[in-house]
Each structure stands twice: as structure tokens, then as C-alpha cells.
Amino acid sequence: MLLKELSALASPLSQGQVEKLKQFTAELNPIQQAWVSGYLAASANAVGAVASAPAAQASQIITILYGSQTGNGRGVAETLAQKAQEQGYSVNLTSMADYKARALKQETLLLVVVSTHGEGEAPDDAMQLHEFLASKRAPKLDNLHYSVLALGDSSYEFFCQTGKDFDARLAALGAKALTPIVECDVDYEESADAWTDSVLEAVKPHLESSTNAASASVVPISAAQAGASQYTKKAPYTAEILVSQKLTGRDSDRDVRHVEIDLGESGIEYQVGDALGVWFSNNLELVDEVLAQLELSGDESVEVSKQSTTLKQALVDSKELTQLYPGFIQNWAELSGDKSLQALASDKSKTREFMLTQQVVDIIKAYPAKVEAQAFVDLLRPLTPRLYSIASSQAEVEAEVHLTVALVEDERNGQARFGGASHFLASAEEGQEVKVYVEPNNNFRLPESPDTPVIMIGPGTGVAPFRAFMQQRSSDGVEGNSWLFFGNPHFEQDFLYQTEWQQYLKSGELTQLDVAFSRDQEHKIYVQHRISEQAEQVWQWLQNGAHIYICGDAERMAKDVHQALLDVAQTQGGLSSEDAASYLDTLRVEKRYQKDVY
């Protein structure tokens, strides 16, 4: 702000100097700006002072950038920053969303932690930097040393693609790798810890520890997290389930639950838009079926994460049984010696398709093999918590948190198969314990101004965060400027939270509700069709500054809705297909187009 006004003030600088100063400071990160400010102040007080010491300290800054959709990347980056500070190094820890891309050419040490979202997409907070590096505007980075930790899920085709993109592009711009890129699967903790140790060792020749480094460091906790709970993914809170109530009708072909959890005296706080991490135990009947197929008792002693336990306990509490990954299929194909499974395992595309319809027990039944208890445990992924969009606002429910959970259920060869966490929550009885933690989602937030219109698109359980949004807006006394698109198969059986939406409409807190019940007529109608029908009004809301939110299925719904919005921009805004895509990208960068998809 001061620089913008500088040219209009009585200044000892020429206009040319002012422009150079503007250009220079625009390329600096916060640490560099602070150092320049101190350096200029010191120079003014001691013209003859030597600046070599401050300059040396400035060169000792390690910049850590993270791009994270669900919070895992941010957590790894914060741990890395903390360890670097403990070793005496100055750290600039920044979300890619808050980083000035043009400051890259001033960096000398850069550590990147970035996840891949969906099918090879950059997470929302990494989009702009990712695009900048791929553009012709990206500068040469011959003075930069870097390392990349890529987070991903090998179940997807473009595993760790965003991290690979950053690594390749930095190298192409002349930067030198401190260590090779490390690609992490969903069980990333061990690999991430090893990478953290290796990069901190690799930076040593490029900097020296400084006893006063902490004073120049950026503390690896954002202001928004300053009051964060002590309960985390690694140290969850043991809460109590109050309610697990079926929302869908008795004739519905799906079982959707409204789950209420008591946070007790934990002091846990969350914002609307956040997710709740839920640790669960595998179903005992499923575990027994696995043991019977393997002809193991379950009493065998095994080691998990360097801790001794029984095989049965490991399968109940520590290992994934309901979600497959390519490595298990490949290893089991070798163990079983089955040629058909080996052929399938060698085809990545077929493997991914196969995994969607199978669980561990289905594989070991169809392709029998003898395996020792410890060897079997070692083949399995660690159990990971599931994230659910929070369906409540603490402004209304206080020390509770609500979820909207669809039971994942299928039948294979006459045998029922369930999703691990959804079955755990759906079958829970009042008073049952559950370990939980809050996963902040800064990429899914209500606008700062209550006067800003919001368009919420949430078919099925995707409506969950919008229930939280409306509770918060109601508590804040916000009326109108809100529009919900909801869809499900049948009006009578599947209209989730119907009474609540009708009450919000009646009170005027919800301006408009458009519903799409796909199977209540001969031709299927989905939310994207309702958007197209309301194209003129949707465009008008966007022109009035509306924020768009999408929650739900990433594979089909989110893509179809995105296409409908592109069509709106073209038909109502007169934009070309390229300009429409650019328009939506701009909305995403401005956080006016936010997604919580899975």
C-alpha cells in the first residue's frame, strides 16, 4: 500500500527509482522483505557498516512450500519446518496459495511438499504456482537447490503427478536437486520422515546453523491454527457417539446415516467447511473370514510399527482390509502363482478397475495361497482414518460434531461387503467410542462478507457441509443470498434433511432450492441439468460476486457440474470455450469456486 502511494508523495526518489523499488519488492517473500527493511534501517544509521553478516543470515533461509488438499501435505511441511528450526535454521513456511511466484528467482533453498488431487490435478492452493512454473513467465533458477516430496494414492492412474510436475519443471529451469524426488502412497508417514531427515542433511553444505536463527524464522503454525486443538491424526480424541440415525426411507436402495458425536470437554473447535477424521476398527466377522481363509488362528504373534501384537488384533485395528492397492495384488499374484491374476497385475489400468470391486478377502478366496502371519501383515497397508465433511456448526451444536455418512455396501458371491468406516459408524450404538480429530479445510470456506451470495451444489451426502454453512449463516443472522442445488434418486425416500431446508426457505435464510430426483421420472435428471435450466440466473449471481461450492463425487458429478458451469459461461457470458475455462480457473484462484470432492 505504501509503495502504491509513494509516487504521489513528496519523495527523495526519482520516479524511475520508485518503479524499480516496486518491481524489486514484489519479488520478495516475507522473510526477505523483513531483512531488506532491517538492512536499510541499519544502513541509514551507519553508512559505513558492513552488510556481510545480515546478508549471510538472509542466505540461510530454507523456504518450505506446501500444496495440500486434505491437510496431509501441510502436516508434513509443518513437521519439516519444526525440525529445521530445532537444528537452528531459519525457515519460511508458506502455503503455495500465499506465495508470490515471482519470488522464486530470489530463492536459494526450496523444499516442496505437494499432494496430487483426483486424477493428476494440483490441489487448489497449488494451482497458481503449478501453472506459473509451466508457463513462459517462469524464470531461470540456476541458483536454486531444491527437493520435492510428492504425496499421492497409487490406486489412481496419475500417482503423485503434481509432485512429478514440480520436480521436472524446477529441474528444467536450471534448479539442482538436493535429493531425488520421493513419491509417497497413502501410508506416507515413514517415507516422509525419511525424506525430512535426508533433506535436512542435504542442505547442510549450503548453509550454517545460526544461534539467533529463531528470531528470523517463520513459526510453522499459521495464525488460523494458533488455537488449534491438541488432538491430531496421530493423537486423536476418544469421543462418544450419540446418534447414528437413518435418514433415507425404508424403501430406499441406500442407507444414509446422520451421525452425532459428543466432543465432551475436549475443547475441540472446528469451522464450517472442515472435515472430521475418523479412526475405525475393521468388522470382526470380516477379520474372522480372512483368518479362516488363511487357515490361521489369529493368535500368532506379529509386529506392527515395531510393536508386538496378535495377528487378529493387527487385522482389527491396524491394517486395511476393505481398500486394496496395486502392491497387494502384485504381491499376492506372485504368492498364489495364479497366471490370470499375474496377467491382471501387470496391466495397471485393469488393476485399478479390479480394485474398485474387490476387497482383501475376495482376493485371497479367489486365488488361494499359503502365507505366514507376519508375511501377510507386511503385505497390507496401515489402516488410515477416513475424512468426512462436517455437517454442523458449533454456533448451533456447541460441543458436538455431526456427519452425513452413506453406508458403502455391496454383495459378492452372496456375501455382503461393507466399507470399513461407514459400516463402523452406521452400526454404532449410543455410547460407543470413536477416535476423531479435526482436519481443517481452508479451501472450503464461506466468504468473509455475509453479503456475498453463495451457490451450494451438493447431491447425496455432498449436502453435508451446506447444512453446516446454513447453520452458521443462521446463527450469524445472515438472510438470503443463498442457493442450494440438491439431488438424489427419489424425492420420497432420499431427500436428506428435507424439513431443515424447508424451514430455511420459509424463514428467508435460504433464497432458493433446486432439486433433482433422478429416478422419479422416465429420463434421469441430475443437478447439472438444473444448473443448465437456471443458466441465466446462475450467471447473474456470478456477476454479482457469488461464490460457488461443490461437494460430493469427484469421478462423475463434479466433472459434470464443472461442464455445466462452463456451458453457462459460454451461453450466458458469450465466452469462448478457452475463455470459459480460464474464467473458472480465475474463480478458483480467487477462492470463489471451491470444491470438496472425493
Side-chain angles (χ1 to χ4, degrees):
M1 184 66 181
L2 289 175
L3 283 176
K4 290 180 181 178
E5 297 174 350
L6 192 57
S7 59
L9 300 175
S11 166
L13 302 179
S14 68
Q15 187 59 38
Q17 288 174 320
V18 168
E19 293 304 320
K20 287 180 180 178
L21 185 58
K22 288 181 182 179
Q23 182 177 356
F24 174 63
T25 54
E27 296 172 353
L28 301 180
N29 61 44
I31 285 288
Q32 291 167 331
Q33 290 176 356
W35 179 84
V36 168
S37 176
Y39 171 74
L40 292 175
S43 298
N45 292 326
V47 177
V50 178
S52 59
Q57 184 171 321
S59 69
Q60 291 173 348
I61 297 168
I62 302 173
T63 293
I64 301 172
L65 296 181
Y66 63 87
S68 177
Q69 194 72 25
T70 62
N72 290 337
R74 186 190 67 246
V76 171
E78 288 175 352
T79 299
L80 171 62
Q82 183 177 353
K83 288 185 177 181
Q85 287 180 316
E86 289 171 353
Q87 294 185 27
Y89 301 136
S90 293
V91 174
N92 175 26
L93 174 67
T94 308
S95 165
M96 292 181 182
D98 301 325
Y99 185 75
K100 294 181 179 179
R102 293 188 181 278
L104 267 177
K105 63 183 179 183
Q106 306 295 332
E107 305 285 4
T108 57
L109 291 170
L110 176 65
L111 305 180
V112 174
V113 181
V114 66
S115 63
T116 294
H117 186 53
E119 293 293 348
E121 297 178 9
D124 286 350
D125 52 5
M127 277 185 59
Q128 202 165 13
L129 184 60
H130 184 259
E131 292 174 359
F132 176 81
L133 282 174
S135 73
K136 294 180 179 179
R137 295 175 292 130
K140 294 296 292 181
L141 300 173
D142 296 331
N143 296 323
L144 180 67
H145 288 82
Y146 76 96
S147 184
V148 175
L149 181 78
L151 300 177
D153 184 341
S154 60
S155 301
Y156 289 89
E157 180 178 359
F158 300 102
F159 176 56
C160 289
Q161 187 60 51
T162 305
K164 293 174 184 176
D165 292 346
F166 271 95
D167 183 61
R169 193 56 187 155
L170 288 170
L173 293 169
K176 302 167 187 65
L178 291 161
T179 62
I181 182 175
V182 171
E183 300 169 17
C184 299
D185 212 334
V186 292
D187 51 339
Y188 62 87
E189 284 89 350
E190 188 174 333
S191 297
D193 288 344
W195 174 79
T196 294
D197 293 339
S198 68
V199 293
L200 290 180
E201 187 67 29
V203 298
K204 284 184 178 179
H206 302 278
L207 46 72
E208 295 178 359
S209 180
S210 172
T211 56
N212 66 345
S215 64
S217 300
V218 173
V219 178
I221 299 176
S222 69
Q225 296 171 293
S229 169
Q230 61 179 310
Y231 300 105
T232 64
K233 181 179 180 180
K234 292 184 178 180
Y237 174 70
T238 302
E240 185 177 299
I241 294 178
L242 298 173
V243 172
S244 179
Q245 176 183 357
K246 192 177 181 183
L247 287 175
T248 44
R250 67 176 62 184
D251 295 325
S252 175
D253 62 358
R254 58 195 61 193
D255 184 342
V256 177
R257 297 279 169 153
H258 173 71
V259 179
E260 298 182 2
I261 298 172
D262 183 9
L263 299 176
E265 302 298 321
S266 66
I268 290 176
E269 296 181 357
Y270 58 86
Q271 297 183 56
V272 296
D274 287 343
L276 190 75
V278 176
W279 287 97
F280 64 97
S281 299
N282 284 311
N283 181 265
L284 288 174
E285 292 182 6
L286 176 63
V287 171
D288 288 340
E289 189 179 356
V290 170
L291 292 172
Q293 184 61 37
L294 295 174
E295 298 181 351
L296 295 170
S297 69
D299 296 328
E300 296 85 353
S301 179
V302 296
E303 189 175 279
V304 177
S305 299
K306 300 180 181 179
Q307 298 291 322
S308 181
T309 185
T310 65
L311 173 60
K312 184 168 186 175
Q313 201 61 45
L315 298 183
V316 170
D317 292 326
S318 303
K319 293 294 179 175
E320 286 282 5
L321 294 180
T322 58
Q323 287 188 351
L324 284 169
Y325 75 107
F328 179 83
I329 295 176
Q330 292 163 4
N331 289 323
W332 197 260
E334 293 179 13
L335 277 172
S336 67
D338 187 280
K339 299 300 182 184
S340 62
L341 187 60
Q342 289 174 350
L344 185 146
S346 65
D347 186 320
K348 292 183 178 180
S349 179
K350 290 182 179 179
T351 297
R352 282 189 296 273
E353 185 176 343
F354 182 68
M355 289 189 308
L356 296 176
T357 60
Q358 306 294 317
Q359 293 186 358
V360 168
V361 68
D362 300 315
I363 303 300
I364 63 178
K365 273 189 168 184
Y367 310 97
K370 287 289 184 182
V371 63
E372 296 295 326
Q374 185 65 56
F376 181 67
V377 165
D378 291 342
L379 290 179
L380 300 174
R381 272 179 169 175
L383 196 70
T384 56
R386 305 296 192 256
L387 293 177
Y388 290 95
S389 302
I390 291 175
S392 57
S393 165
Q394 283 189 301
E396 180 164 321
V397 304
E398 298 180 342
E400 294 180 11
V401 60
H402 298 177
L403 306 177
T404 310
V405 179
L407 175 64
V408 177
E409 184 177 7
D410 196 7
E411 184 176 307
R412 299 188 194 112
N413 300 318
Q415 185 71 45
R417 296 284 179 248
F418 300 100
S422 67
H423 188 251
F424 178 85
L425 292 170
S427 59
E429 297 182 356
E430 181 180 344
Q432 183 170 321
E433 291 185 343
V434 57
K435 293 180 179 180
V436 300
Y437 64 97
V438 172
E439 187 62 67
N441 186 357
N442 294 323
N443 296 314
F444 206 75
R445 292 282 187 247
L446 279 168
E448 290 185 10
S449 171
D451 296 327
T452 302
V454 295
I455 300 174
M456 303 169 287
I457 305 165
T461 57
V463 80
F466 304 133
R467 180 177 186 263
F469 277 19
M470 291 307 299
Q471 286 185 359
Q472 185 66 51
R473 287 167 64 89
S474 177
S475 175
D476 292 341
V478 179
E479 292 188 3
N481 286 334
S482 58
W483 186 355
L484 174 66
F485 287 89
F486 172 76
N488 240 354
H490 299 287
F491 170 81
E492 291 186 357
Q493 302 296 326
D494 306 309
F495 198 166
L496 308 182
Y497 303 113
Q498 177 185 359
T499 303
E500 294 184 25
W501 304 126
Q502 291 173 335
Q503 289 173 344
Y504 284 131
L505 276 172
K506 185 177 180 180
S507 69
E509 292 165 316
L510 182 63
T511 308
Q512 188 164 334
L513 173 64
D514 280 84
V515 294
F517 294 103
S518 58
R519 289 160 179 79
D520 277 350
Q521 58 284 311
E522 185 176 345
H523 60 288
K524 294 179 181 178
I525 299 176
Y526 298 107
V527 287
Q528 62 266 24
H529 299 131
R530 296 302 188 208
I531 292 170
S532 297
E533 290 170 3
Q534 300 283 3
E536 183 178 355
Q537 191 176 358
V538 169
W539 183 250
Q540 189 59 55
W541 276 53
L542 288 173
Q543 297 311 292
N544 291 336
H547 287 213
I548 305 176
Y549 300 88
I550 300 175
C551 183
D553 170 55
E555 184 63 27
R556 296 176 62 182
M557 182 277 295
K559 293 178 180 178
D560 291 340
V561 167
H562 184 80
Q563 184 58 55
L565 292 173
L566 287 172
D567 293 342
V568 167
Q570 292 178 70
T571 60
Q572 304 301 313
L575 303 180
S576 67
S577 58
E578 294 80 7
D579 288 342
S582 179
Y583 173 72
L584 292 187
D585 284 344
T586 299
L587 291 185
R588 287 186 68 179
V589 170
E590 294 175 349
K591 294 193 178 296
R592 286 184 54 200
Y593 179 22
Q594 301 182 38
K595 299 179 184 180
D596 178 8
V597 295
Y598 37 84

